[in-house]
Amino acid sequence: MKDLNTADLPFYHAQADECAVFETAHENGLPLLLKGPTGCGKTRFVEHMAARLGLPLHTVACHDDLSAADLIGRYLLKGGETVWVDGPLTRAVREGGICYLDEVVEARKDVTVVLHPLTDDRRRLVIDRTGEELAAPKSFMLVASYNPGYQNVLKKLKPSTRQRFVSIGFEFPSPEVEVPVVMRESGLDEARATALVRLGGKIRTLSGMDLEEGVSTRLLIYAATMIAGGMAVERALEAAVIAPLSDEPDTQQALRDLAAVIYG
């Protein structure tokens, strides 16, 4: 591990022993799965740990059209010649870095087939198009994340894939953790950050509303940044919390009413 000052690292406030679990998984060549709601800090955690370990990080935002070729690479025309171009997974294996697959369940099914040889004792990446078989170096690590709350019949991480990873569960941070995070990331003072986090906590406990998920720490930071920049609280909450959470007028009004209670 590089001898880095913590001030040089992407900021991350640990909630438990997740940093130790990550380091242990990396030291032993184990793939890691991060489970938790959107905007709770999973991506920042990976960025923090990559910098902490001094490893290059290749982040892939998974989506419906993401294929195995997008991860491994493909032949492309350059200057009239056909050349092979590595994808992010192949680059991470060659460099001995971290490949982070964000929301892995969104990717096409052929992606998981490619990952399987990298998530067991083989630690191999087979590139059919070039005939190569790359052995992952000790420093290589595969990290994936997903939000269990969004799983459905069509998009679900199979047990056979899930059980190839060690796993860390993430939740929204406690107020004692979230308030300092919001303050640090936005520059907002403690009193107003505390009120904003209190509102976030109330929204997360609501039931019977048209909300797929509670407000993320990310959105609270957005709102805090706008407030710290001089925007009125009501307008900042409308733009950064209420509108992103729901398109339903009744739900939006209920959120406004809740904000009015918190802010008086």
Side-chain angles (χ1 to χ4, degrees), residues 41-207:
K42 300 188 297 295
T43 297
R44 177 62 66 87
F45 170 62
V46 178
E47 292 170 350
H48 172 85
M49 293 306 301
R52 183 165 164 170
L53 295 170
L55 296 172
L57 174 63
H58 300 271
T59 299
V60 180
C62 298
H63 52 81
D64 289 343
D65 293 326
L66 184 76
S67 66
D70 294 320
L71 290 181
I72 295 176
R74 51 171 51 90
Y75 285 105
L76 297 175
L77 279 174
K78 285 189 176 182
E81 295 184 359
T82 302
V83 296
W84 173 262
V85 178
D86 286 341
L89 179 60
T90 303
R91 290 198 299 272
V93 172
R94 290 193 198 277
E95 295 175 3
I98 296 173
C99 183
Y100 173 47
L101 305 179
D102 188 18
E103 296 298 339
V104 66
V105 293
E106 297 293 334
R108 284 168 33 176
K109 291 182 179 180
D110 64 330
V111 167
T112 57
V113 175
V114 170
L115 299 180
H116 282 184
L118 283 168
T119 55
D120 56 30
D121 58 355
R122 289 173 289 177
R123 283 176 60 86
R124 291 279 195 273
L125 177 64
V126 178
I127 307 177
D128 291 334
R129 300 291 299 278
T130 66
E132 289 182 274
E133 183 172 320
L134 303 180
K138 182 175 175 57
S139 58
F140 169 77
M141 186 177 187
L142 180 65
V143 183
S145 72
Y146 79 108
N147 178 357
Y150 280 163
Q151 285 197 97
N152 56 42
V153 174
L154 297 178
K155 291 184 178 180
K156 190 173 183 179
L157 201 61
K158 292 182 178 180
S160 59
T161 298
R162 194 169 59 242
Q163 292 186 30
R164 290 175 174 271
F165 293 79
V166 295
S167 183
I168 301 176
F170 283 74
E171 298 293 343
F172 292 120
S174 66
E176 293 76 19
V177 171
E178 196 164 32
V179 169
V181 168
V182 171
M183 291 172 60
R184 187 189 189 284
E185 295 290 285
S186 68
L188 194 64
D189 60 89
E190 184 175 2
R192 291 188 292 177
T194 299
L196 195 55
V197 168
R198 188 184 311 124
L199 173 62
K202 292 293 185 182
I203 292 174
R204 291 165 188 162
T205 61
L206 291 176
S207 61

Side-chain angles (χ1 to χ4, degrees), residues 3-70:
D3 185 15
L4 294 175
N5 189 311
T6 54
D8 299 328
L9 304 179
F11 175 71
Y12 176 76
H13 195 306
Q15 299 185 48
D17 63 350
E18 62 267 31
C19 294
V21 173
F22 192 107
E23 289 181 351
T24 301
H26 175 260
E27 289 170 4
N28 292 277
L30 304 176
L32 182 64
L33 181 65
L34 311 179
K35 302 189 294 184
T38 301
C40 69
K42 300 188 297 295
T43 297
R44 177 62 66 87
F45 170 62
V46 178
E47 292 170 350
H48 172 85
M49 293 306 301
R52 183 165 164 170
L53 295 170
L55 296 172
L57 174 63
H58 300 271
T59 299
V60 180
C62 298
H63 52 81
D64 289 343
D65 293 326
L66 184 76
S67 66
D70 294 320

